[in-house]
Amino acid sequence: MLDTLRRIIQEVTGARDLDQALDVIVTRVKKAMDVDVCSVYMVDREHRQHVLMATDGLNAKAVGMVRMKDNAGLISLVGTREEPVNLADAPGHPQYLYFPESGEEQFHSFLGVPIIHHRQLQGVLVVQRHAKKKFSEDSVTFLVTIAAQLAGAIAHAEASGGISGLTKESKNRKRNVAPLQGQPGSPGVAIGTAVARFQIADLDSIPDRAVEDTRAEVTLFKKAVNGVRKDIQSMLSRMNEILPTEDRALFDAYLLMLEGSAITGDVVKRIKNGNWAPGALRETIAEHLRAFDAMEDTYLRERGEDVRDLGRRILSRLISDEPQTPKKYPLRTILVGEEITASMLAEVPVKRLAGVISVRGSSTSHVAILARAMGVSAVMGIEDLPVSRVDGHKIIVDGYTGRVYVDPPRGVREEFRHLLREEEELSRELHELRDLPAVTPDNIGIPLYVNSGLLADVSPSRRSGAEGIGLYRTEFPFMVRDRFPGEEEQFKIYRQVLKSFSPAPVTLRTLDVGGDKALPYFPIEEDNPFLGWRGIRISLDHPEIFLVQLRAMLRASAGLGNMNLLLPMISSVAEVDDALRLLRRAYHELIDSGVSISMPRVGVMIEVPSAVYQVRELARRVNFLSVGTNDLTQYLLAVDRNNARVASLYDALHPAVIRALQQIVDGARAEKTPVSVCGEMAGDPAAAILLLGMGIDNLSMSAANLPRVKWVIRSFTRRRARSLLKEALTFEYAHSVRNFLNAALEDAGLGGLVRAGR
Ligand code: PEP
Ligand code: MG
């Protein structure tokens, strides 16, 4: 059963569009369960109806015709109850609705299960039999299992089909205007043209791309096929001497596949329909793989791998002549890919780059941080985006909400153009604040710093009007190398950062790798990386690495006196004691060798729940505390900060997080230790009101958010912020806190921040 399930899911995942996906589902499920009918009804939200979208067993003409209100019929009963309905005699049920065109009257038993994706009902999967007998428990669990897994695949197929293809008919098809949901990666809205990037070795990531000269493209393809044929023939002649005849059959099979018209003929057909050769090849290979996958015979099924291998060989021949990057990027390029890397981003001329969309990754991925530093909007972790179908299409990236619209209709485009104009207006207003201090109307100064981690960040940081760097993530210079940087190399980087802001303060954080931040040359394989070997734990276990970093930092600070040092992922006081011991050792060794330096101010990050409860003990040992709300939220709420599936549960305005913050501030104040916030929360204008009310001493955020937060600081007295905080602490839900703070921003005349940051 597991095998059947896996194959059905694979086939559906590879489907070109929703129609194909649904057809696969109904035929395969009907066969696997040995039933008389299998059908899928989908929700039509616009008309609040359930529509029969595919069937194997009912009258095919009824597809698209059978529609029922979402409060009538057995289908809606499944939908509203959101659980299986298993009946021996459906026509005898009071809620049964009869549609003569379906030919349904002959079937008695009925089993319907809901198809739910991200908590939303997408449709209902139904099986029926002639016999008047309930379905077995096994049948129910099978159908429930398959519906649960199909939900994501259906959403993906729906998104694929919603994007107009390269042929005329598909361009005329009704388009799906629902946005795709990912995670906000970098704030801002961008409207532009998608440029899909792909890995050469990965056939599945090849995008569709329109070609004008289809004849030339066919010639290119045939040349590539000939090249592969020659490769295989020469392999074959080499193997002749070593392998027995039967083992050489594989190569013969390859040649047969190339000679026969099935694969090559299909590719040529697709090229003639307007797709470039690599895209036509991807689609053809995927179709053939589906056929192999559906085979009962395991041996034959595994031959599908040979088809894939052949596809890859033709592709590498095709692509080796093809430039990887477009000759000319469109004016407003939106870079799209399964995994966009920092180097892909760097290839686009800065003026042409408008947005970034990556199927994998999160707001803390390297590329998202780089996008924020460059002021380019980004959406990450957008699982349902069919990358292969969007190249050259118009795309809207909403970096505030994590939404992406492909081929948006005019109304949506207008709405976003309006938003862009509002944003431009807002940034003009904010620009005027650049040189004004971050002081409340009752004259309390809250220094605003930037988070940084790349030298590329430094100039936008300065332009934003920041008063220093509140968090320099040293892991980034470690990530972009192929080995641990040596003391000299590190010294140069830290020196440059410290000097660029001197005399303003710069907080260098010691290495915080592990969790989701891996070093390519220091792989850590763990089942639970966020609860594993990360941050200070690695530094203390490897004093040889930690001491090099500390020495480089101390030497870099010589004569400048603006360096603060921050320790990440502290979960016990012993870790602080040990780190301070190593710091003192590095300091004294340098002093003994004649280097003239002073001991930096040292801080501890509060980002683990245990640190909240020992905040006073920690505060006593150091000069300042800095709250890492990204991790603190993750650990308090038990929500992986990178997991798109639980992203809606991740909210720094959760009442538990706010109370923890209040406890941290109270503890720090009792020890007279200053406390700052350097997680993303510090850059959220609504949250900034609460932090001001709590008495946080300074805030550190990405450069793009700094002017917004400055506006908040300059608009709210601490007194007012305190009373808003008091009320916010009485709420039980994160969304109530958000609504309440948004209303306060509107009241203060800062509605622009609410609208832009929807
Ligand atoms: C945090 O956890 O809030 C933080 C600032 O550190 P990082 O995002 O680098 O884990
Ligand atoms: Mg952290």
Side-chain angles (χ1 to χ4, degrees), residues 30 86 537 542 684:
K30 178 173 173 240
N86 185 1
R537 300 171 183 180
H542 279 283
D684 174 354

Side-chain angles (χ1 to χ4, degrees), residues 344-398:
M344 288 177 182
L345 201 125
E347 276 163 13
V348 189
V350 178
K351 285 210 173 107
R352 289 185 178 251
L353 183 63
V356 174
I357 303 172
S358 184
V359 171
R360 285 198 279 277
S362 72
S363 65
T364 46
S365 301
H366 196 176
V367 72
I369 289 171
L370 194 59
R372 285 201 288 276
M374 295 166 75
V376 168
S377 40
V379 168
M380 310 291 293
I382 182 153
E383 285 173 359
D384 294 335
L385 183 80
V387 174
S388 60
R389 299 182 67 86
V390 298
D391 191 69
H393 287 252
K394 284 274 163 277
I395 274 204
I396 294 178
V397 185
D398 184 340

Side-chain angles (χ1 to χ4, degrees), residues 471 473 509 512 517 534 605 607 628-631 641 678-679:
L471 169 66
R473 294 176 160 102
R509 182 174 72 182
D512 184 23
K517 291 179 278 195
R534 69 168 288 209
M605 286 202 73
E607 50 183 351
T629 47
N630 304 342
D631 277 314
R641 62 194 260 188
C678 65

Side-chain angles (χ1 to χ4, degrees), residues 56 72 78 173 178 182 202 233 357 377 396 409 444 485 546 572 615 622 656 682 698 753-754:
D56 186 351
V78 179
R173 283 224 323 242
D202 181 6
Q233 271 158 349
I357 303 172
S377 40
I396 294 178
I444 294 165
F546 194 39
S572 71
V615 70
V622 287
N698 58 70
L753 295 179
V754 179

Side-chain angles (χ1 to χ4, degrees), residues 472-487:
Y472 186 85
R473 294 176 160 102
T474 57
E475 49 279 8
F476 289 116
F478 278 67
M479 275 179 192
V480 293
R481 285 173 169 69
D482 54 10
R483 64 194 157 76
F484 280 107
E487 187 177 321

Side-chain angles (χ1 to χ4, degrees), residues 510-691:
T510 64
L511 197 59
D512 184 23
V513 287
D516 65 326
K517 291 179 278 195
L519 297 178
Y521 46 87
F522 190 64
I524 304 169
E525 289 289 331
E526 291 178 326
D527 286 343
N528 225 336
F530 275 117
L531 301 183
W533 205 39
R534 69 168 288 209
I536 198 74
R537 300 171 183 180
I538 297 182
S539 296
L540 293 177
D541 287 352
H542 279 283
E544 77 285 11
I545 299 171
F546 194 39
L547 283 166
V548 166
Q549 180 169 46
L550 292 175
R551 264 201 304 273
M553 287 173 164
L554 289 168
R555 283 177 48 215
S557 71
L560 295 173
N562 64 335
M563 180 174 86
N564 301 325
L565 219 142
L566 185 57
L567 306 171
M569 271 299 289
I570 295 292
S571 57
S572 71
V573 289
E575 287 166 341
V576 181
D577 296 339
D578 291 344
L580 288 175
R581 200 172 306 124
L582 287 166
L583 175 64
R584 279 193 289 270
R585 189 174 125 191
Y587 171 77
H588 288 297
E589 279 171 8
L590 284 170
I591 294 277
D592 290 348
S593 66
V595 186
S596 164
I597 45 168
S598 46
M599 192 67 179
R601 293 173 77 246
V602 179
V604 156
M605 286 202 73
I606 306 292
E607 50 183 351
V608 174
S610 62
V612 177
Y613 295 105
Q614 279 200 300
V615 70
R616 292 192 62 170
E617 291 83 341
L618 293 168
R620 251 176 254 147
R621 286 167 161 78
V622 287
N623 307 98
F624 68 99
L625 301 178
S626 188
V627 189
T629 47
N630 304 342
D631 277 314
L632 187 60
T633 307
Q634 142 164 290
Y635 293 124
L636 277 176
L637 304 184
V639 178
D640 178 343
R641 62 194 260 188
N642 289 326
N643 184 342
R645 239 179 244 163
V646 286
S648 63
L649 302 177
Y650 183 98
D651 195 337
L653 290 183
H654 190 296
V657 179
I658 303 174
R659 285 178 211 174
L661 280 162
Q662 182 67 68
Q663 201 168 328
I664 295 167
V665 176
D666 292 345
R669 192 167 300 135
E671 297 297 332
K672 299 195 173 43
T673 306
V675 56
S676 66
V677 172
C678 65
E680 291 301 310
M681 186 186 193
D684 174 354
I689 303 176
L690 298 184
L691 301 177

